[in-house]
Amino acid sequence: MKAGTRETAAALTGFTVGVTAARRREELTALLRRRGARVVEAPALRIVPLENDTELRAATERCLAAPLDYVVATTGVGWRGWMSAAEGWGHGAALTAACRAAQVLSRGPKATGAVRASGITEAYAPASEAVDELRDHLLAQELTGRRIAVQEHGAPLPGLVAALRERGAEVVEVPVYRWAPPADPEPARRLAESTARGDVHALLFTSAPAIASFLDEAAAVGRYDGVLERLRRDVLPLCVGPVCARPLREAGVEPVWPDRGRLGAMVHLLTATLPGRDSRVIPAGGRRLLLQGNALLLGDTTGTPGTPGTEQAVWLTPMSAGVLRVLAERPGWVVSRRELLRRAWSGQEADEHAVEAAVTRLRRALGPHAGLVRTVPKRGYRLETDR
């Protein structure tokens, strides 16, 4: 029996969620923890600002050397950083005037909001938030001799720039910031290890470069194939939008994303999706116990899990939770140690002594409910529940 989605502070209790974001990581982890999740923070990238970089200043001065016909804004943070840097160099008013005189194309609502906040109105913004749609819109115009400024979003955009130049446009690439590997790769590598072991229930990504970097770190510790296999089968991959999701889809993983590319929308979708994938109600001793992720939520004798003020969470080890989950599939039926090892350990190296240790830890965690897990001599274990 699957449990329904519960809009409470405990909605994500029992679940371990990996967060790879660099920007706004604190905000995202706070949203998750308020819903009861355990969060593993592992920034897969770092943003290197270029406010004082000679390359950015040179690009800005090239933009001002002659009138611009088109300006492409790809990210809100990048656009604001560019305007701020230009202001610091004394070019703020001139750059704003140059953009107002051009047609500004913005990729998505964040870039559009930043453009409007600088006093400029965009001429075009694709609903898909995809750079490809911006490119197609520009290629439908007469571009010979046109000057186009392209604000990059942490990495060069060679496909877009090459296509525009092939059509005869002069393109000024504006590198406002760069994505770089994390200063400390160990958190991302540990997250890759945990993901491959099955200790993580969901991974959240907010940019395509973060996905590429995370998979690079997984490869560095020999876990690339294991991570992808988990993402295809057990671990929920959640992206901020379809553009972000592209590297995973190219790797054969089908992630999910919200209708709106916002952190709150991501967390709402996670809350609506994850409990339905990995939750099970266990009727026992007049109480209804909810096994959710790696936690057992204990309701009172009259209430049900999910009712505010009636539940207590008992966190289990991933293996103990795996054993309980397998037993709960067919309450009252005996499951052999070999079968538990095959199902709960999912190919990881272990022996039947590991099963015994996991059952011991499970009983210890269950406390007064330890009798739920019964030993059947020479056969295995079974789950005792209400009939």
Side-chain angles (χ1 to χ4, degrees):
M1 176 179 178
K2 295 293 184 182
T5 302
R6 299 171 306 119
E7 294 294 337
T8 74
L12 295 177
T13 296
F15 296 114
T16 299
V17 180
V19 172
T20 62
R23 290 182 55 248
R24 302 179 67 189
R25 186 174 72 256
E26 295 82 1
E27 179 183 349
L28 180 54
T29 56
L31 289 170
L32 294 168
R33 285 174 176 147
R34 280 203 293 270
R35 288 159 176 79
R38 283 184 174 172
V39 182
V40 179
E41 298 183 55
L45 290 175
R46 59 190 170 96
I47 296 175
V48 180
L50 301 180
E51 287 87 349
N52 299 316
D53 191 88
T54 55
E55 187 179 356
L56 174 59
R57 185 164 187 168
T60 302
E61 291 172 351
R62 280 189 61 199
C63 289
L64 299 177
L68 293 169
D69 297 290
Y70 299 96
V71 180
V72 177
T74 59
T75 64
V77 65
W79 182 272
R80 288 190 295 271
W82 185 21
M83 295 296 116
S84 176
E87 187 70 29
W89 297 323
H91 297 325
L95 181 59
T96 299
C99 292
R100 282 200 187 112
Q103 292 190 46
V104 176
L105 286 64
S106 59
R107 184 185 69 91
K110 294 181 182 177
T112 299
V115 167
R116 292 177 181 176
S118 62
I120 301 167
T121 301
E122 77 285 356
Y124 175 75
S128 67
E129 304 183 30
V131 172
D132 291 351
E133 197 166 341
L134 286 175
R135 179 200 61 205
D136 292 345
H137 178 81
L138 281 168
L139 292 179
Q141 317 303 316
E142 173 55 54
L143 297 181
T144 302
R146 303 298 187 190
R147 298 188 79 238
I148 304 174
V150 176
Q151 173 247 310
E152 296 174 352
H153 57 61
L157 296 165
L160 171 62
V161 171
L164 298 177
R165 285 175 175 160
E166 285 175 4
R167 293 292 300 275
E170 176 189 347
V171 181
V172 181
E173 297 172 81
V174 183
V176 183
Y177 58 88
R178 296 288 192 203
W179 294 116
D184 179 6
E186 287 307 310
R189 292 178 179 183
R190 288 194 297 269
L191 178 59
E193 295 273 9
S194 297
T195 302
R197 285 196 306 268
D199 296 345
V200 175
H201 300 95
L203 289 181
L204 271 56
F205 299 100
T206 57
S207 73
I211 294 173
S213 180
F214 176 70
L215 293 179
D216 285 345
E217 299 302 340
V221 293
R223 292 295 197 170
Y224 180 85
D225 291 336
V227 165
L228 289 181
E229 180 59 27
R230 288 290 183 180
L231 287 170
R232 295 183 186 119
R233 181 165 49 93
D234 303 321
V235 178
L236 177 67
L238 176 57
C239 297
V240 73
V243 176
C244 169
R246 186 174 296 174
L248 285 179
R249 302 187 75 182
E250 290 173 351
V253 175
E254 286 300 323
V256 298
W257 58 82
D259 292 334
R260 299 177 68 249
R262 298 290 186 273
L263 297 187
M266 287 183 73
V267 174
H268 180 76
L269 179 58
L270 184 71
T271 303
T273 305
L274 203 50
R277 287 167 53 103
D278 196 9
S279 298
R280 183 173 296 275
V281 173
I282 303 171
R287 304 178 70 159
R288 295 182 68 77
L289 313 181
L290 177 65
L291 176 61
Q292 177 168 283
N294 290 339
L296 194 63
L297 305 186
L298 313 177
D300 64 19
T301 55
T302 57
T304 58
T307 303
T310 67
E311 64 183 26
Q312 170 192 357
V314 177
W315 280 83
L316 310 173
T317 67
M319 294 312 174
S320 294
V323 166
L324 182 57
R325 186 168 292 104
V326 174
L327 294 175
E329 288 180 0
R330 302 183 75 179
W333 287 68
V334 179
V335 182
S336 69
R337 290 176 177 82
R338 181 174 297 180
E339 178 68 5
L340 285 170
L341 189 62
R342 184 183 70 83
R343 296 280 306 282
W345 273 256
S346 188
Q348 298 182 52
E349 291 187 10
D351 56 26
E352 292 186 7
H353 293 295
V355 177
E356 295 170 5
V359 170
T360 298
R361 287 192 293 270
L362 174 58
R363 287 171 171 158
R364 187 181 303 124
L366 290 174
H369 299 281
L372 280 172
V373 181
R374 294 293 181 90
T375 301
V376 181
K378 298 183 180 181
R379 294 181 60 196
Y381 303 95
R382 72 167 181 255
L383 186 66
E384 297 286 352
T385 62
D386 297 342
R387 299 298 181 90

